[in-house]
């Protein structure tokens, strides 16, 4: 039985908190920033927690069962 591989894209995009939740970055913060407000850019720069409804998908990509 071969080893199960972790999804390479997922391991670069997600980090864990101390309590086991998964942190993620926001989208829409890489380009076309001139039309976005300061408040919007500031909030997009912060990290967020992955929603409970997507947790199973993320854990499957990271091979955490």
């Amino acid at each position: 039985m071969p080893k199960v591989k972790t999804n390479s894209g997922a391991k670069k995009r997600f980090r864990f908190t101390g309590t086991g939740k998964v942190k993620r970055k926001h989208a829409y913060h890489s380009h076309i920033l001139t039309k976005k407000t300061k408040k919007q850019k500031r909030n997009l720069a912060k990290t967020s927690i992955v929603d409970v409804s997507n947790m199973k998908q993320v854990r499957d990509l990271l091979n955490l069962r």
Side-chain angles (χ1 to χ4, degrees):
M1 188 77 180
K3 291 183 179 178
V4 181
K5 292 192 174 182
T6 301
N7 184 284
S8 296
K11 69 183 176 187
K12 296 169 192 173
R13 286 174 170 83
F14 300 110
R15 295 284 180 267
F16 288 94
T17 62
T19 56
K21 295 178 183 175
V22 183
K23 293 191 295 185
R24 67 173 179 87
K25 291 188 176 182
H26 285 100
Y28 308 111
H29 190 62
S30 58
H31 65 290
I32 314 177
L33 298 173
T34 52
K35 62 175 75 170
K36 294 174 184 143
T37 63
K38 290 178 186 177
K39 181 180 180 180
Q40 189 177 4
K41 289 185 278 192
R42 183 171 62 244
N43 289 330
L44 287 173
K46 298 175 184 176
T47 57
S48 179
I49 302 293
V50 172
D51 193 69
V52 178
S53 60
N54 296 320
M55 224 23 201
K56 185 182 183 307
Q57 294 166 312
V58 173
R59 291 181 75 81
D60 285 346
L61 289 170
L62 297 171
N63 290 319
L64 302 168
R65 291 180 174 83

